[in-house]
């Protein structure tokens, strides 16, 4: 697939400071459910380059700092990482929009979405540690045919953050910050509770708690969605 995504590769080089091969590695990470540092070494090897473990750690750190991947919890001792959703990448790399959207569509087709069908509590309830991770989970839920209600308190500092959810669902000005999601049949439904915090640099950040909890969904739907229609 990498040969069919030249615009994304170019933008990752220009806007994220990656090398051409690092950009190709990231694209391959997008097609995997998650990767460890060892997996990154393997991907480089498949692309014809052998790198040592210390360099692989540096590259993973760069991808993380550039908000291209984020750490996830898993059953193994090795830390695993997941790529941000391609639609989140689109929001980061808006430039040559016409070409990019076509390539993003190709990337979406290969993107590994989380499987919630096994009802594993560790997957059904977990912390989302960054805005990128919140966006990614929201895109995954939307891709899984969930209807989203994005409820937020008025805060000018977060206007851009909440506006970016417009393609995913209905944005409602309410009394709390939460994202509700549910399938048409209501078989799957829950919330992403959003929390605002100030980081060490004094910047406002948003964190989330994803809960597959029908009761909390119903509570916020009655209190916020119906009330603010």
């Amino acid at each position: 697939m990498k040969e069919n995504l030249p615009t994304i590769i170019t933008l990752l080089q220009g806007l994220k400071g990656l090398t051409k091969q690092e950009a190709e590695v990231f694209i391959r990470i997008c097609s995997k459910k998650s990767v460890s540092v060892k997996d990154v070494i393997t991907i480089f090897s498949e692309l014809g380059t052998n790198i040592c473990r210390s360099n692989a750690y540096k590259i993973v750190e760069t991808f993380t700092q550039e908000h291209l991947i984020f750490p996830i919890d898993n059953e193994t001792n090795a830390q695993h990482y997941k790529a941000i959703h391609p639609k989140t990448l689109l929001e980061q790399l808006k430039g040559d929009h016409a070409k990019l959207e076509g390539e993003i569509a190709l990337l979406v087709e290969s993107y590994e979405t989380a499987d919630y069908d096994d009802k594993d509590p560790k997957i059904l309830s977990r912390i989302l540690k960054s805005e990128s991770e919140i966006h990614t989970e929201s895109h995954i839920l939307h891709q899984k045919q969930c209807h989203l209600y994005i409820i937020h308190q008025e805060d000018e500092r977060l206007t851009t953050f909440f506006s970016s959810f417009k393609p995913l669902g209905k944005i409602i000005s309410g009394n709390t910050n939460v994202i509700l999601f549910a399938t048409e049949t209501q078989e799957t439904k829950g919330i992403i509770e959003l929390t605002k915090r100030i980081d060490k640099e004094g910047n406002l950040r948003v964190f989330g708690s994803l809960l597959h909890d029908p009761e909390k969904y119903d509570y916020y739907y009655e209190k916020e969605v119906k009330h603010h229609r």
Side-chain angles (χ1 to χ4, degrees):
M1 180 191 15
K2 63 185 177 67
E3 293 83 0
N4 299 322
L5 304 174
T7 306
I8 294 177
I9 290 173
T10 299
L11 288 172
L12 286 170
Q13 290 178 263
L15 299 179
K16 295 294 186 179
L18 306 186
T19 66
K20 184 174 185 291
Q21 192 165 61
E22 286 171 348
E24 292 173 351
V25 168
F26 168 72
I27 286 170
R28 293 210 178 187
I29 292 175
C30 280
S31 64
K32 300 180 182 297
K33 186 167 291 186
S34 67
V35 295
S36 64
V37 170
K38 183 179 179 181
D39 295 326
V40 171
I41 294 173
T42 300
I43 293 171
F44 268 99
S45 178
E46 291 171 350
L47 291 172
T49 300
N50 294 320
I51 63 171
C52 64
R53 196 169 189 84
S54 61
N55 283 343
Y57 272 108
K58 289 179 182 177
I59 291 166
V60 167
E61 184 178 357
T62 296
F63 285 179
T64 304
Q65 290 175 345
E66 293 295 335
H67 305 293
L68 294 172
I69 62 175
F70 52 85
I72 60 171
D73 295 328
N74 62 92
E75 298 292 334
T76 67
N77 292 327
Q79 176 67 65
H80 275 64
Y81 301 83
K82 186 171 183 62
I84 61 173
H85 192 276
K87 291 289 188 179
T88 303
L89 178 63
L90 175 61
E91 290 157 11
Q92 291 189 10
L93 301 181
K94 282 180 178 175
D96 192 343
H97 200 268
K99 290 183 180 179
L100 188 55
E101 280 203 320
E103 294 179 11
I104 285 291
L106 290 175
L107 199 52
V108 167
E109 290 179 6
S110 70
Y111 187 80
E112 271 285 354
T113 58
D115 184 6
Y116 299 117
D117 294 335
D118 57 8
K119 308 301 181 186
D120 183 348
K122 291 182 180 178
I123 295 177
L124 299 182
S125 175
R126 54 203 175 86
I127 301 299
L128 308 179
K129 301 173 183 176
S130 67
E131 288 92 337
S132 293
E133 193 169 355
I134 294 168
H135 272 291
T136 290
E137 288 303 326
S138 298
H139 279 294
I140 288 173
L141 290 165
H142 184 259
Q143 194 170 325
K144 288 178 175 290
Q145 308 302 313
C146 285
H147 298 288
L148 272 63
Y149 294 97
I150 300 90
I151 303 160
H152 69 98
Q153 297 170 308
E154 294 293 343
D155 188 331
E156 292 184 358
R157 298 171 298 176
L158 295 176
T159 298
T160 301
F161 172 75
F162 282 109
S163 295
S164 64
F165 288 93
K166 283 183 179 179
L168 302 181
K170 185 174 182 180
I171 299 179
I172 298 171
S173 179
N175 299 314
T176 189
N177 296 304
V178 66
I179 298 172
L180 311 186
F181 60 86
T183 55
E184 188 72 39
T185 61
Q186 300 277 294
E187 182 179 353
T188 297
K189 60 182 180 179
I191 67 170
I192 300 176
E193 290 184 316
L194 303 175
T195 304
K196 297 183 290 185
R197 298 180 193 170
I198 303 296
D199 65 17
K200 295 179 180 178
E201 287 73 38
N203 301 310
L204 183 64
R205 300 297 184 197
V206 181
F207 300 84
S209 298
L210 186 149
L211 303 168
H212 281 248
D213 189 328
E215 291 183 1
K216 285 201 171 186
Y217 175 94
D218 293 339
Y219 170 78
Y220 283 114
Y221 188 87
E222 291 290 329
K223 183 179 178 182
E224 298 287 348
V225 178
K226 285 189 174 182
H227 182 69
H228 292 99
R229 274 180 172 174

